[in-house]
Amino acid sequence: MSNREFITSKPRRSIVKLPEKGLKKKDFISSFKEYYVNTLGRDEESLNTHYAYEALGLTVRDRLMEHWKETHHTYKQAKSRRTFYLSMEYLMGRALSNAMISLGITDTATQAMHDIGIEIEELISSEMDAGLGNGGLGRLAACFMDSCATQQLPVIGYGLRYEYGMFTQTIVNGEQVEKPDHWLRLRNVWEVKRLEYEHRVKFCGHTEIQLDIEGRQRVLWIETKDVLAIPYDTPIPGFQNNTVNTLRLWKSVATEEFHLDEFNSGSYVKAVADKVSADNITMVLYPNDANENGKTLRLKQQYFLSSASLQDVISHWVNLYGEDFSQFADKNCFQLNDTHPSIAVAELMRLLVDMHGLSWEMAWQITTATMAYTNHTLLPEALEKWPVDLMQTLLPRLMEIIFEINARFLSEVSIKWPADEEKIRCMSIIEEGDCKQVRMAHLAIVGSFSVNGVAELHTKLLQQKLFADFYDLWPNKFNNKTNGVTPRRWLLECNPELSELITETIGSGWITDLSLLKQLVPYAENRKFRQQWLKIKQAAKQRLADYKKRVHNVDINADALFDVQVKRIHEYKRQLLKVLHVIHLYNLIKQGNTESLVPRCVLIGGKAAPSYDRAKRIIKLINNVSAVINSDPEVQGKLTLLFLPDYNVTAMQEICPGVDLSEQISTAGMEASGTGNMKLMMNGAITIGTLDGANIEIRQQVGDENFFQFGLTEDQVAARRKHYDPCSIIENDEALQQVMNLLECGHFNQFEPGIFTSIIQSLKSPADPWLTIADFRSYIDAQLRVEDAYRDRHHWTKMSIMNVACSGKFSSDRTINDYNQEIWKLHRQPVNPNNAD
Ligand code: 26V
């Protein structure tokens, strides 16, 4: 039987209409027991944490189901315009606690579990992170999903259901060792498999031209190797508003078409095995956040996501409207999360022209009115390019379409700039050369009606540098959407104590309107309030210290200044600058120069791409410096340096509340936005930062007196690169010289000679793109201002309150409303309970 066959006999209503799931404690207990004992077949005597978690997850999911259906029904009835968010990454983290908060059932569930002798915290913390992303870009997609549901917007997320998510990081002898993250090994209670919505995605083969019955030319893409895309849906609950949106992730599955010759020659098992292993497109997430260009499997993943998602949207369209696409662009919008799904531009053309018979002009009109592209990086090595050869082999029809798009686009260019070969060469979607390549960013810009950056400075640089020619041609396409993070996860869930104090003080409206935090401003002057604030921060720091003691057996002084840099390890993010500062402090202590010193605990966490040797060596350096410092009795209690292994979403939730100082120290002009900076601000950390990405806007919001600014600005960086002489800076700065001496004499690698030589050389090179040495002095001075401020704890607390009070802009609700007003133009669709049939 085909999975698309529906039961035709009536009545259906009686099957799908269930009695409401109760929200009382007793309902919870009976649901939980039912799942634990009956569904999961477990023994009531020997309670197992994982299965208890599953049973509670299913119990909670049941309570979402009705709303999920109602939301679906509401959107369908309204025939509303929708946005489809296409992203290769969703860094969702844990779901259970978030779902309970959204439903407003945390207290009841906690009580229910307690009554049957289970501490709910144990179940919550046994959940694996859904780590289907690398860092900022993937987590942003997750925050956006949360905000869209909370804003009651009809937005569907499309992505890939990787079997293996972001690797787990362990540290062995100071070095990063990657372990695969088989997160689906245990059952994922949040997903629902929807076999009835499978699609077929084509690869390889070749094209042929055929005349259709009306005598028009139609291109056929034939003799392809096909892969099936099976959707798995995850509910995305809005905050206490009945809306439950959908995240649809595709899994690749082999078709059941085999090479009959292999069968006939008797190698049945080999034929099946080959088939299954060849088609494992969604097996693993690529763990690099730059520089993975040219890998065939990655291109397959990108096309698989784009094609399956577009086919899904179009088949839904055809079901509702038949073959009339005249309103398609009014009703649908695709937001491309970076260039990763930008092959969607060509795929939509293919589907409309080849599969649905539209003219090229009509299809192009629809495509360029529905696609919108977000850029997330200015790093040249992260800009995607695909060899034309590879595309021709893997996606021959798509390559033809890209050539056609390019030809038409270049004729537009030559009208604007007649006889300007240089413009043509620079703007072309195809990069000429020994290995011709497709520039995916150019395809995305040409095919979209909107191109946005993710912070004001970033957008300005896109317009003036990276995409200046395109900005000249189409100034109105370009716009800024400063990133944000969801306050549900990044304040309410991760910092319940602070959330409670805020709610007691200004009410709970802030949870869905973060601008209301402004009402805390006057309380910064209130002594009693400051004491309560400080007490909560102190308790959070103690929890972090206890956690480090329990898990890593290191002692940290909870009275110390908690100085935190957590993010991917990358040279442009300058973890090295942080290390130079730590070595400088260590040197001061060793010289007995401690009178002005504030006890400090420096925490650094983050993963390095497995193939990024320099980043891995930086991790090794951090761990070696940490080993020397932490084992020195003279230093104890004054300075600690710790590397936090396996930084992920859940780790950030645990870290956030206890941070005093947030390190955002990238080379100006390199960090597109940053979002960790926003999470830490929201939890009352004060930023020490360069004028880069969203730091600039954070400083604007909170005021210079509540922000520690340092370093070269973006234009100073650009100017300095031309005549940069780090060695003379070192010569003229005694403290820096001493720091470099310690590194160079092997103080931190006594038994591992030479392992840091390449790092030292890069710091001292006039070609160092990150200008670390140039910012050293300014950074040290800013850190002195930090120490001055921290010594006056009341003053510090005031700054901390001001940071939270001014963080309203950085809610992803604000970001999503900006996207909606200026790009998506969707209507809110409130979901009325009891509406569904
Ligand atoms: C590139 C690639 C290249 C091929 C292999 C896999 C892969 C995965 C991701 C990327 C692009 C990473 C770009 C990125 O994460 N940008 C970050 O986006 C954040 C959200 O907008 C922003 O806050 C960060 O500043 C920016 O670095």
Side-chain angles (χ1 to χ4, degrees), residues 317-318 320-329 356 358 362 366:
W317 179 266
V318 171
L320 274 176
Y321 301 96
E323 293 292 323
D324 177 5
F325 284 87
S326 57
Q327 305 292 305
F328 189 82
H356 295 277
L358 270 66
M362 180 81 153
I366 290 174

Side-chain angles (χ1 to χ4, degrees), residues 89 134 136-137 140 286 288-292 298 338 340 376-377 454 483 572 671-675:
E89 305 190 6
N134 274 282
L137 168 144
L140 187 76
Y286 273 90
N288 289 13
D289 52 7
N291 237 335
E292 197 69 70
R298 171 83 180 168
D338 218 305
H340 313 157
H376 293 268
T377 181
V454 290
N483 284 165
Y572 84 81
E671 188 70 271
S673 159
T675 44

